[in-house]
Amino acid sequence: MPIHIDSDQGIELAVIGGTGVYALGQLADVDSWWQETPYGMPSGPIRIGTLDGHRVAFLARHGEGHSVPPHRINYRANLVALQMAGARRVLALNTVGGITADCGPRALVCPDQLIDYTWGRIGTFSEEAGSEVVHVDFGDPYTASLRAAALAAAHRANVHMVDGGCYGATQGPRLETRAEIARMRRDGCDLVGMTGMPEAALARELGLDYACIGIVANWAAGAGPDVDAVIGMEEVLANVAAATEGVARVLRGMLVG
Ligand code: HPA
């Protein structure tokens, strides 16, 4: 049932969960808010609760039952709904495949760059006829201060998180061919995922602070020690579940210090 959110109360941190992260178990006193935005409905309800007294919002990017594929996600509605709830800082959790040596399964990576290989997704709020066209600066796609906060919290919590790397956003929902991953490696990508864009660019248009933690679920096709390995969903979910324990400690550290 929709509830009224007093956005003046503010949200210290909004978290968008990806594949395998459908809730934040640490949240207490959770209220749920499911409201239409001018861009349509978000993927699911926004769960607003407290973590050690700090107000946090959570949204499952694919819906809580993982029913929305990457290319059909209403990225605009998701971000605007979080903003309407009072969020100014958005930490995106993205399940990814690892391409380069430091980015093996269960690694946590805080990328500082991205390359967009997606197509046909609505990537701007300037889409509607008559809306003002904006060309936001996107040289550094992630907000430096939010990245620094996540990395510092990881350090304090004794969680290893790789500082920097390039996220390659692919269209999905299929995984990539070995040739595609080989090309992405040549392009300089360390991670591959399907949901990093247009989310990052839309967050920038909205003026939200935005950073990503890539949760490595598997070696990307042809990467890693077994180049012939076939990627299975069971392996993906087991690795995400294992790595998410570290993410929870990072989140607490970002809020509590
Ligand atoms: N490729 C793209 N997206 C992904 C992968 C992958 O190998 N693993 C998890 N998300």
Side-chain angles (χ1 to χ4, degrees):
M1 196 209 296
I3 58 163
H4 174 71
I5 295 292
D6 178 2
S7 58
D8 288 344
Q9 261 186 279
I11 299 287
E12 257 180 76
L13 188 66
V15 178
I16 302 179
T19 300
V21 185
Y22 304 115
L24 279 189
Q26 309 147 284
L27 286 193
D29 305 321
V30 178
D31 280 329
S32 300
W33 189 49
W34 188 315
Q35 183 168 311
E36 189 153 19
T37 75
Y39 302 96
M41 294 300 283
S43 300
I46 295 179
R47 309 285 185 191
I48 298 181
T50 56
L51 203 161
D52 284 350
H54 300 263
R55 275 166 60 83
V56 173
F58 177 83
L59 174 64
R61 186 185 286 113
H62 297 273
E64 291 177 356
H66 198 121
S67 53
V68 191
H71 62 292
R72 302 296 298 271
I73 291 169
N74 190 337
Y75 294 94
R76 298 198 300 181
N78 284 355
L79 287 167
V80 167
L82 288 171
Q83 192 180 46
M84 288 168 78
R88 299 291 172 265
R89 301 198 303 164
V90 177
L91 185 68
L93 307 181
N94 295 82
T95 301
V96 292
I99 299 177
T100 49
D102 286 348
C103 301
R106 304 191 179 191
L108 299 180
V109 185
C110 188
D112 59 351
Q113 275 300 326
L114 66 77
I115 298 179
D116 187 6
Y117 301 91
T118 67
W119 48 269
R121 303 181 182 189
I122 298 177
T124 178
F125 290 99
S126 302
E127 181 73 13
E128 284 69 27
S131 58
E132 188 197 348
V133 177
V134 292
H135 299 286
V136 288
D137 180 86
F138 203 49
D140 288 305
Y142 302 108
T143 305
S145 56
L146 192 56
R147 287 191 67 249
L151 286 158
H155 184 73
R156 282 195 303 275
N158 218 5
V159 173
H160 181 64
M161 187 152 71
V162 179
D163 178 357
C166 181
Y167 178 114
T170 55
Q171 180 71 358
R174 67 166 177 82
L175 297 170
E176 299 72 33
T177 66
R178 293 178 213 286
E180 285 168 335
I181 294 298
R183 179 180 77 148
M184 292 178 75
R185 186 196 292 275
R186 290 193 298 275
D187 285 353
C189 295
D190 298 287
L191 305 172
V192 54
M194 302 172 190
T195 53
M197 282 293 282
E199 197 173 88
L202 292 168
R204 182 60 55 84
E205 282 194 5
L206 288 177
L208 297 167
D209 285 357
Y210 181 91
C212 160
I213 296 180
I215 303 172
V216 182
N218 55 277
W219 285 112
D226 179 2
V227 294
D228 295 323
V230 173
I231 301 163
M233 203 58 193
E234 257 174 49
E235 166 204 353
V236 164
L237 293 178
N239 286 331
V240 173
T244 300
E245 191 267 330
V247 174
R249 282 159 54 205
V250 173
L251 286 181
R252 171 162 272 121
M254 287 179 78
L255 294 160
V256 179

